[in-house]
Amino acid sequence: MAEKEMLELPVRGMDCAECTLHVRKALASLPGVENVEVFLAAEKAVVRFDPQLANLQSMRQVVEQAGYSIPEVAGAQEQVPEDQTSRWSDFTRPVLTLLGVVFGAVLFIVVVGEWLGLFEAITRRVPWPVGAAVVLLAGYPVLRNVVRAALQKQVIAHTLMSLGVAAALVVGEWATAAVIVFFMRVGDYVEHFTAERARRAVRDLTRMAPKTARIERDGVEIEIPVEQVQPGEAVIVRPGEMIPVDGEVLSGQATVNQASITGESMPVEAEAGARVFAASLVQMGMLRVRATQVGADTTFGRVIRLVEQAEANRAEVQRVADRFSGYYLPVVVGVAALTFLLRRDPLATAAVLVVACSCSFALATPIAMLASIGAGARRGLMIKGGKYLELLAKADVLLIDKTGTLTTGKAEIVEMQFLADDLEALALAAAAERYSEHPLAEAVRAAAQGRGLSPETPEDFTAIPGLGVRATVRGRRVEVGNRRMLSGDVSLALELAAAAQRLEAQGETLVYVAVDGELAGVLAAADRLRPEVPQAIQALCKLGIRKVELLTGDNERVAGALAGQLEAQLCEGMQFSYRANLLPEDKIEVVKAYQAQGHTVVMVGDGVNDAPALAQADVGLAMGAAGSDVAIEAAHIALMRDDWLLVPEVVHIARRTMGVVKLNIAFTAVYNLVGLSLAALGFLPPIFAAAAQSLPDLGILANSSRLIRQAEMKADETG
């Protein structure tokens, strides 16, 4: 059996969701094609096929027969000039204004002309063959696609309008047919313009990707295409240049703007040992970076790929709209046939066919979804599809992991109690912990350094898992660890015993320090609540989240102390609870229990040890996912930086997006129902029906443009 191959094909000419369906059907009809995914925003198809049965030439042929095209250079990312990607934003308002003026002027001329009988006079004076030729010439691009679809036994959005054009020509109303064709072309332009607005976010991301890299080979610096960089090679990045790879800084120091990855406009300082990401901008300084991931394997490459493929995870509301579109066209044909049988009026029948607008249903959902997903990516919000925006919009339960998510994940010494010389005991403790990799050891060393103490080198060192460390420092025996670590003959002085009891009641983790068999002090360590969490919780309450539960593997005492801090931030009507001593599998069961009760569950975790629970939740949000393959893959939405304010932001985006989608669908449904009724009863002549057919597309564009504009303004704050 031949091994299957994957091929990415750029497809041109797609302007709505219906177009992607036609391309998918055309490619899937080929022998040997196993799976096809077509993406409107990325303008490409991903095909899995048997190379012995299918090839690029056959794919190009069936796509062209469907009315679309595959460029000769397939498989490579087509470069789009910067001015082309930006013009849809820079000139949106002037273009919409001009379109509205032209549309209004033509509509006025049509109304006045029909009222004065000008069209009838023109029809009488101009020979029918001449008028028909004008109609066919003006409508050739649209009519050609209709004929192609008909030959493949497909019905597309313009099929019904084309039948209306044919009906008008048959009864001799070529002027009416010409007006219908004009509005068909207007509708095409509106759909194309709207699709381009949605594609802008993807193109902006693609344009940010570095194209070349300066590397060291055989002691010489050379500049090569970024695809040719090999992992392990040293890459040189100078001021004002984009880092072309993910990697580790070997030498140098620089200020790096990572907004393209994390959405955070504040730059970070990078020096030897730091991790850096492709598409980050070196603002000041120079870096020498060892490449670890290149091209599509970088964090930025995965961001682009996930945004492009987000269409695959379609919202249920979009699936309903697609199914409705499939039933809508036969219903319209039935209404037209019934109109002709009952009224024997070919013009009324033509009006029914002309006024029907199925493409508006297909446009109602994906344009808003793609705009929000693309703009969200620029804000550091990796949303994997409209499905998760829809679920997030109706979420009512929020489950939160503690360590590394709700808290910083980094222990800090928050209080110290010593019997005698505190600096001496702290210096000995830091020296004993010098070679320990435990997070609490790092906290002890940081506390010593914060007081100007440099950890000495111990003469011997022993780490005891689960307890602490023993070491000899300056000839003195030092023990640092939990209460069980202390030797049996070490007793707590009364003042230290009281301090330990108080600190434990506050939920702090205690680190005991003993020197030469005598207790010298107690250090209290805590994993701090992220400072932005209270504000985020308040924002989530306003967005309608009514149940919050903290899930942690910590003990009851630590969990209770943190829960007390959170409860003080809750708004009226918000319920809060916590569960301690949980294993990863326990968190999954908690998620399942809420889902069984009919709740829509959002789980926020760090994406590593919480991966199973994130996957089980209706929407899993991974915090601080930049550079983490596990977090990006496990979560439905990846927050690329550790900022809790991104949580209410993405919930707000979801609810705003679904509001726009529902308004689009409701407007389209009501408009088409009224239009069909008026046309069938003879109150809407074909000319007015043609004008009316374009209005739903304009309405959807206007409504979705409001969302697109807001998303772009928010995204531009990081630029």
Side-chain angles (χ1 to χ4, degrees):
M1 180 180 294
E3 185 177 350
K4 300 297 188 295
E5 292 185 6
M6 296 287 292
L7 185 63
E8 287 193 4
L9 302 172
V11 181
R12 300 297 172 256
M14 299 188 298
D15 290 326
C16 69
E18 189 179 63
C19 302
T20 65
L21 179 62
H22 296 153
V23 173
R24 185 182 297 114
K25 286 183 177 180
L27 290 170
S29 68
L30 287 173
V33 172
E34 186 176 285
N35 185 60
V36 181
E37 289 286 352
V38 183
F39 305 107
L40 175 64
E43 293 184 282
K44 72 177 183 180
V46 180
V47 186
R48 179 179 172 83
F49 66 102
D50 185 340
Q52 293 184 352
L53 299 175
N55 55 45
L56 176 59
Q57 187 58 37
S58 61
M59 295 177 192
R60 179 176 284 117
Q61 184 177 353
V62 296
V63 168
E64 289 177 352
Q65 288 174 353
Y68 308 93
S69 64
I70 296 176
E72 288 299 323
V73 182
Q77 178 66 41
E78 181 180 3
Q79 297 301 317
V80 181
E82 181 173 345
D83 59 346
Q84 183 176 340
T85 62
S86 62
R87 69 184 183 189
W88 302 105
S89 175
D90 298 339
F91 299 103
T92 296
R93 188 168 297 175
V95 167
L96 286 177
T97 302
L98 178 61
L99 185 62
V101 170
V102 172
F103 184 87
V106 173
L107 187 59
F108 175 78
I109 293 172
V110 168
V111 172
V112 174
E114 181 74 5
W115 179 56
L116 297 177
L118 296 179
F119 289 101
E120 185 178 349
I122 293 174
T123 303
R124 286 198 308 266
R125 293 182 182 180
V126 178
W128 183 89
V130 175
V134 171
V135 170
L136 294 176
L137 183 63
Y140 173 74
V142 176
L143 299 176
R144 178 190 59 187
N145 289 338
V146 171
V147 172
R148 282 180 172 177
L151 292 175
Q152 297 184 20
K153 300 179 181 180
Q154 294 179 351
V155 176
I156 62 177
H158 287 314
T159 298
L160 297 181
M161 292 193 74
S162 299
L163 290 175
V165 170
L169 289 176
V170 167
V171 298
E173 297 284 342
W174 71 262
T176 297
V179 173
I180 295 173
V181 166
F182 169 79
F183 284 111
M184 287 170 68
R185 301 300 301 274
V186 169
D188 274 354
Y189 176 78
V190 170
E191 290 164 14
H192 177 71
F193 181 80
T194 307
E196 287 294 331
R197 288 294 309 278
R199 289 180 182 130
R200 177 179 180 256
V202 176
R203 286 178 172 170
D204 280 352
L205 285 174
T206 304
R207 183 162 44 87
M208 292 168 63
K211 305 300 185 294
T212 62
R214 187 182 295 105
I215 66 169
E216 290 181 353
R217 283 186 181 170
D218 301 325
V220 179
E221 287 188 19
I222 59 173
E223 189 168 344
I224 61 173
V226 69
E227 296 83 6
Q228 297 180 13
V229 178
Q230 300 297 318
E233 288 191 302
V235 179
I236 308 301
V237 190
R238 295 196 173 100
E241 295 180 346
M242 286 282 189
I243 299 174
V245 297
D246 281 6
E248 180 182 346
V249 177
L250 295 174
S251 61
Q253 187 172 3
T255 301
V256 181
N257 187 327
Q258 297 182 342
S260 59
I261 302 296
T262 65
E264 177 57 60
S265 58
M266 292 298 294
V268 299
E269 297 298 324
E271 55 187 10
R275 189 173 186 184
V276 292
F277 305 107
S280 299
L281 177 66
V282 174
Q283 295 179 326
M284 292 186 295
M286 188 176 78
L287 296 176
R288 185 169 171 267
V289 179
R290 179 176 62 84
T292 55
Q293 282 89 30
V294 179
D297 294 329
T298 63
T299 298
F300 188 71
R302 290 195 299 274
V303 167
I304 293 176
R305 184 170 65 252
L306 290 174
V307 171
E308 289 179 343
Q309 297 179 0
E311 292 176 63
N313 294 316
R314 297 187 301 165
E316 183 59 31
V317 66
Q318 185 174 348
R319 297 180 187 276
V320 171
D322 290 346
R323 288 195 294 269
F324 181 84
S325 295
Y327 292 113
Y328 179 68
L329 293 179
V331 168
V332 172
V333 173
V335 172
L338 189 61
T339 300
F340 184 76
L341 290 174
L342 295 178
R343 306 191 69 238
R344 299 294 179 179
D345 185 349
L347 289 181
T349 303
V352 170
L353 296 173
V354 168
V355 78
C357 183
S358 65
C359 204
S360 58
F361 286 104
L363 282 173
T365 301
I367 298 304
M369 294 290 187
L370 292 175
S372 292
I373 290 169
R378 294 176 60 193
R379 290 280 300 157
L381 305 170
M382 276 301 310
I383 305 167
K384 292 188 178 179
K387 171 183 178 181
Y388 304 114
L389 282 174
E390 183 180 30
L391 288 170
L392 191 59
K394 60 183 182 181
D396 58 343
V397 172
L398 180 69
L399 304 180
I400 309 173
D401 171 59
K402 172 186 170 286
T403 306
T405 303
L406 196 62
T407 60
T408 61
K410 185 177 181 180
E412 299 177 18
I413 301 300
V414 295
E415 187 172 339
M416 296 182 289
Q417 295 287 336
F418 293 100
L419 283 177
D421 188 346
D422 56 345
L423 289 181
E424 174 68 11
L426 182 58
L428 292 172
E433 294 276 29
R434 178 164 182 171
Y435 297 126
S436 175
E437 297 179 353
H438 195 280
L440 290 177
E442 183 179 347
V444 173
R445 293 194 297 267
Q449 291 171 350
R451 287 160 177 75
L453 303 173
S454 297
E456 304 173 38
T457 302
E459 297 163 20
D460 63 69
F461 169 82
T462 302
I464 305 174
L467 298 178
V469 300
R470 286 196 179 100
T472 301
V473 182
R474 287 186 256 143
R476 307 182 71 178
R477 182 165 60 91
V478 182
E479 297 171 299
V480 184
N482 57 32
R483 182 68 180 86
R484 291 177 297 154
M485 175 70 192
L486 302 179
S487 301
D489 57 348
V490 176
S491 59
L492 289 176
L494 289 179
E495 56 268 39
L496 288 183
Q501 185 176 6
R502 173 179 58 82
L503 293 171
E504 281 186 335
Q506 295 174 0
E508 317 292 9
T509 299
L510 301 188
V511 178
Y512 295 88
V513 181
V515 180
D516 294 332
E518 297 289 338
L519 186 65
V522 178
L523 311 180
D527 188 3
R528 292 292 194 185
L529 186 70
R530 294 185 185 276
E532 73 277 9
V533 167
Q535 182 182 349
I537 295 295
Q538 291 284 340
L540 287 168
C541 181
K542 294 177 182 178
L543 288 168
I545 300 295
R546 286 293 174 262
K547 173 65 178 177
V548 178
E549 185 159 9
L550 171 65
L551 308 180
T552 178
D554 282 339
N555 59 50
E556 185 77 20
R557 174 176 47 80
V558 173
L562 185 62
Q565 298 181 49
L566 279 180
E567 284 186 293
Q569 311 301 329
L570 302 180
C571 63
E572 185 177 353
M574 180 178 274
Q575 300 177 11
F576 177 81
S577 58
Y578 71 92
R579 304 190 198 199
N581 300 307
L582 296 182
L583 298 173
E585 53 266 31
D586 297 328
K587 296 179 182 179
I588 296 176
E589 293 305 316
V590 173
V591 174
K592 288 181 178 179
Y594 276 113
Q595 291 173 330
Q597 297 170 16
H599 294 286
T600 301
V601 179
V602 177
M603 172 76 187
V604 184
D606 60 13
V608 182
N609 56 4
D610 299 311
L614 290 175
Q616 176 63 42
D618 295 289
V619 183
L621 274 67
M623 183 80 69
S628 171
D629 296 350
V630 175
I632 291 177
E633 294 303 323
H636 305 125
I637 299 176
L639 311 180
M640 303 301 281
R641 65 180 187 271
D642 288 317
D643 184 352
W644 251 86
L645 293 178
L646 291 179
V647 177
E649 181 175 337
V650 74
V651 173
H652 176 64
I653 288 174
R655 299 199 171 178
R656 185 180 62 200
T657 302
M658 290 309 301
V660 169
V661 167
K662 290 176 181 178
L663 184 57
N664 283 348
I665 292 176
F667 168 73
T668 301
V670 171
Y671 194 93
N672 277 272
L673 179 62
V674 172
L676 284 174
S677 301
L678 293 176
L681 294 173
F683 295 117
L684 196 65
I687 287 180
F688 296 152
Q693 187 271 347
S694 300
L695 287 177
D697 286 355
L698 288 171
I700 287 173
L701 173 60
N703 194 37
S704 297
S705 290
R706 173 173 58 87
L707 174 63
I708 295 171
R709 186 165 55 253
Q710 291 171 349
E712 288 174 345
M713 290 174 60
K714 190 71 175 176
D716 287 340
E717 293 177 6
T718 65

